[in-house]
Amino acid sequence: MKNSPKSNLKKNNDTIHPLLLELDMTPEEFEKQFGISFDEFDDDVDLSIHELLEELDLLDDLEVKHQLNLPKPSLKNQKSHSNGKINNSTIKENNLDLKENTNTHFSLSQSKNKTSKSTNRQNSSKDNNDESISDSIHSVRHYFEENRFTKNTDKEIDKIRTIAVACEIAPAKTLIPVLKLLRKFESEKKLNWEKTRIIGLVHGDGAKELIEPYCDDIFYIGQGRRANQSNNSRINLFRLIIKDIYKATLAMMGEQIDLLITCGNAGDVRKAISAAKLLRTPVLHIEQDIYNPIEIISQANLITTPSKDYEFYLKIQYSLKNVVNIGGYPQASYVNSMIQSGKLLKKEQITEQYGFDHYIFVVLGGDLKVDDLKDLIPLIDGFDYPTLIAPYRFDKKMIEDLSNSDKVKILDNFVDVLSLSYHCDALIFGAGMGMTIEAGVLKVPSIKLYGFHPFHSSINLAKDLNIPILDIYDIPRALRKLYPPSGDLVSDGEIATYNILNLINNFDYSLKKGNIKSTFKLWRGRSKFKKGKK
């Protein structure tokens, strides 16, 4: 009888890599499954990825090592597999001293005229070194291991439900229609609970300003990385991620969060879902960019996609099981509501502020690299037409140094992009889903820059909307004959918003998170995506 891979691994566990043990694969099976040899994968992602997975307890090695009769893991690798509801009333009795953090978050129930000493919980932990952060994460896990979750049978449980949302600026515009509808249903007593407490988890002021009106509390969970900053040390990046996960854990701990909702593929999602993993908080993730999802969404209980095709893609490509199609983009509903409510800046206000009555608006987003700007900015100078450039993630001074035209103005990093897009003569953007959706709803003549990704959900959407997708040097020719986008995103966006709210209102807490194989498939896919070229 032929030996199974597991039995082979058991015999050779002294030489096999621990990750292969966790995956229950031979090196040959790994290469066949993920399309890359294990050694190449190891070099590609760096050892820090293994440390990160271990810190987040994504490697369920307690169970695997038990099956293989290996030595019992240390405390930092232990985890609770209980699926009961957290009894947060006992959190104050744990061995982590959080008293210094309890009054430093920004509460909307407090007077907004007061100046808070700090708007984030993590300030008190800035001086902590890596060792103390790691120890604290292990302490969190140890606390929950020692205090196995007991199901809360209190009859008052459905009187209030606490929901946390984590997002950056563009994903915030996806969540806002959902939060508004949630409040509306709450007032009409259509929810399965009486009162909703909403917590916002952000790592930037831009997202904070957007979701603040819809939240009861806001917590900062670290910092985002600017596009022009270099990361010379991957180990250092890993340490920064761990620090921010620790801050996110502190922000969420003790808040009795019933459901975490995330959207986007940036660091805030990684931090929030990682913290939710540590705290055993259920997660609903709204995915829009299915070609570049962040690897940690494998640990969400439920994932949504904007179309049936994308639902199948995530299931087949990444072996994700709990994926549902919501049928559209809620952000389209947000953009439409901003237009209908008259909240956009007037044309006269823009003219007064920036000095241009007619202008081309250029948005520099995540699809561009610094080297692209060295070609793009001089090309824009050559338009000899009033142009406003929003640097967004790029350094403003760097852009100013590249431009020599009096007709080109470099704006601050975070401006009212929606209003500026609405009133411009033409929109040029090197960004993803958020800007593509906005262009489609605003119906402004637009050009989407190809960027450095061969596949992107926003490229598919731009094609559906008949927005030209061009290389930098093709822009002047296209500007001579440019038309508004076609299609209708708004009605589908409204349907998608209702579908998400229905999922929240009737969330199935029995849904299980994904497995480590999905995490690795997502990580490998993301690595390929980042290195992809046209």
Side-chain angles (χ1 to χ4, degrees):
M1 181 176 176
K2 188 176 180 180
N3 290 334
S4 66
K6 181 175 287 190
S7 63
N8 289 335
L9 286 176
K10 184 175 179 180
K11 291 178 181 179
N12 298 292
N13 62 59
D14 55 328
T15 58
I16 208 75
H17 195 285
L19 286 176
L20 290 176
L21 282 175
E22 170 63 30
L23 293 169
D24 194 17
M25 286 182 172
T26 64
E28 293 76 19
E29 289 173 327
F30 183 96
E31 183 171 2
K32 183 177 180 181
Q33 176 85 347
F34 300 112
I36 184 174
S37 72
F38 185 79
D39 289 339
E40 288 177 306
F41 182 83
D42 199 40
D43 292 337
D44 182 30
V45 299
D46 197 85
L47 282 175
S48 62
I49 186 176
H50 309 147
E51 298 175 74
L52 179 59
L53 288 172
E54 183 178 348
E55 291 287 353
L56 298 184
D57 211 16
L58 291 180
L59 298 179
D60 298 326
D61 50 358
L62 178 63
E63 180 180 352
V64 172
K65 290 186 178 183
H66 175 72
Q67 292 174 351
L68 297 177
N69 295 319
L70 295 178
K72 185 178 180 181
S74 62
L75 173 62
K76 71 176 183 178
N77 290 326
Q78 295 181 21
K79 68 179 289 185
S80 167
H81 296 282
S82 173
N83 293 321
K85 186 175 178 63
I86 300 175
N87 184 354
N88 287 277
S89 63
T90 60
I91 285 184
K92 294 179 181 178
E93 301 172 6
N94 70 43
N95 57 346
L96 290 181
D97 183 11
L98 301 180
K99 291 181 180 180
E100 60 181 346
N101 300 309
T102 56
N103 295 318
T104 57
H105 70 279
F106 183 85
S107 175
L108 299 182
S109 61
Q110 301 172 354
S111 170
K112 292 189 178 182
N113 295 324
K114 293 182 179 180
T115 302
S116 176
K117 292 182 180 179
S118 173
T119 58
N120 51 33
R121 285 185 166 189
Q122 75 272 23
N123 280 354
S124 61
S125 61
K126 281 183 178 179
D127 297 331
N128 288 9
N129 56 30
D130 295 327
E131 183 179 359
S132 65
I133 291 171
S134 179
D135 288 345
S136 296
I137 290 178
H138 297 155
S139 297
V140 172
R141 191 174 303 139
H142 177 62
Y143 165 72
F144 285 114
E145 176 69 19
E146 293 297 316
N147 299 271
R148 297 273 183 173
F149 300 169
T150 56
K151 189 168 183 179
N152 194 335
T153 57
D154 190 345
K155 294 182 180 179
E156 304 293 313
I157 191 171
D158 287 329
K159 282 196 172 183
I160 185 168
R161 195 70 61 89
T162 299
I163 293 174
V165 295
C167 57
E168 276 196 329
I169 293 177
K173 298 173 184 178
T174 291
L175 291 175
I176 286 173
V178 178
L179 299 181
K180 290 174 67 175
L181 189 61
L182 179 62
R183 292 301 193 195
K184 181 176 183 291
F185 271 41
E186 180 183 74
S187 66
E188 296 173 352
K189 301 188 183 304
K190 293 181 179 179
L191 298 176
N192 293 327
W193 57 88
E194 294 181 15
K195 175 68 177 175
T196 310
R197 177 170 174 253
I198 300 176
I199 297 173
L201 305 173
V202 300
H203 65 197
D205 290 336
K208 174 181 177 288
E209 290 175 8
L210 282 172
I211 67 171
E212 184 176 271
Y214 311 98
C215 296
D216 298 292
D217 295 279
I218 297 284
F219 297 129
Y220 282 109
I221 56 173
Q223 288 183 303
R225 287 181 298 139
R226 301 179 70 84
N228 48 285
Q229 285 179 336
S230 61
N231 295 289
N232 297 322
S233 171
R234 303 182 76 173
I235 295 295
N236 183 57
L237 175 59
F238 160 71
R239 288 173 178 167
L240 292 175
I241 291 173
I242 286 294
K243 285 183 179 180
D244 284 348
I245 290 170
Y246 171 59
K247 295 169 186 175
T249 304
L250 282 182
M252 294 170 64
M253 177 175 283
E255 296 299 331
Q256 294 183 285
I257 297 172
D258 295 283
L259 180 65
L260 169 67
I261 304 173
T262 59
C263 181
N265 60 359
D268 56 293
V269 172
R270 178 184 285 118
K271 301 164 194 173
I273 296 182
S274 297
K277 172 75 176 178
L278 288 168
L279 299 175
R280 278 47 173 188
T281 302
V283 179
L284 168 63
H285 177 75
I286 303 170
E287 185 58 60
Q288 295 189 138
D289 185 7
I290 58 100
Y291 294 119
N292 185 31
I294 201 161
E295 73 291 327
I296 202 67
I297 69 168
S298 64
Q299 301 304 309
N301 301 73
L302 184 62
I303 302 169
T304 73
T305 64
S307 72
K308 198 70 178 176
D309 289 344
Y310 286 174
E311 175 189 343
F312 290 148
Y313 182 89
L314 288 184
K315 288 180 176 178
I316 295 171
Q317 187 73 8
Y318 303 118
S319 302
L320 296 168
K321 295 181 179 179
N322 298 328
V323 184
V324 295
N325 164 38
I326 56 173
Y329 301 93
Q331 184 179 343
S333 179
Y334 167 84
V335 176
N336 185 60
S337 69
M338 292 292 289
I339 298 171
Q340 300 301 324
S341 63
K343 292 182 178 179
L344 300 182
L345 294 175
K346 305 297 183 185
K347 183 70 175 284
E348 295 76 18
Q349 292 175 287
I350 292 178
T351 302
E352 181 181 353
Q353 185 171 355
Y354 300 108
F356 296 150
D357 188 30
H358 295 279
Y359 60 91
I360 295 172
F361 186 39
V362 181
V363 180
L364 308 178
D367 283 5
L368 298 175
K369 294 183 176 180
V370 173
D371 288 343
D372 296 323
L373 304 184
K374 296 175 183 177
D375 294 327
L376 178 60
I377 304 304
L379 185 74
I380 293 172
D381 283 353
F383 291 168
D384 195 31
Y385 193 91
T387 303
L388 299 176
I389 299 179
Y392 193 43
R393 294 172 180 268
F394 294 94
D395 182 66
K396 178 181 178 179
K397 188 178 185 308
M398 179 189 70
I399 308 299
E400 289 175 334
D401 291 341
L402 291 172
S403 177
N404 296 304
S405 173
D406 293 335
K407 292 187 178 181
V408 175
K409 290 189 176 181
I410 315 302
L411 310 180
D412 293 332
N413 289 93
F414 297 102
V415 293
D416 189 345
V417 171
L418 198 56
S419 294
L420 290 167
S421 299
Y422 184 63
H423 294 293
C424 70
D425 297 330
L427 173 65
I428 301 171
F429 61 96
M433 289 302 303
M435 283 303 304
T436 308
I437 292 170
E438 289 183 9
V441 176
L442 295 175
K443 301 297 183 186
V444 58
S446 303
I447 293 173
K448 177 175 170 57
L449 297 180
Y450 216 107
F452 58 93
H453 299 308
F455 301 104
H456 202 289
S457 302
S458 62
I459 292 177
N460 295 351
L461 181 59
K463 290 178 179 178
D464 292 340
L465 298 171
N466 290 317
I467 295 175
I469 307 158
L470 305 174
D471 289 315
I472 290 174
Y473 287 105
D474 291 328
I475 295 174
R477 175 176 52 83
L479 283 174
R480 299 188 184 98
K481 193 175 183 181
L482 198 60
Y483 299 98
S486 58
D488 179 17
L489 296 177
V490 176
S491 58
D492 288 344
E494 292 173 348
I495 292 172
T497 302
Y498 273 88
N499 286 337
I500 292 175
L501 184 59
N502 183 58
L503 291 173
I504 296 171
N505 195 25
N506 301 284
F507 193 80
D508 184 357
Y509 289 92
S510 68
L511 292 173
K512 294 183 178 180
K513 301 176 187 285
N515 57 41
I516 190 67
K517 290 185 180 181
S518 294
T519 305
F520 270 89
K521 284 187 175 182
L522 286 161
W523 212 313
R524 178 57 185 160
R526 191 168 171 85
S527 177
K528 285 182 177 180
F529 183 85
K530 286 183 177 181
K531 295 178 180 180
K533 304 288 182 182
K534 301 190 296 294

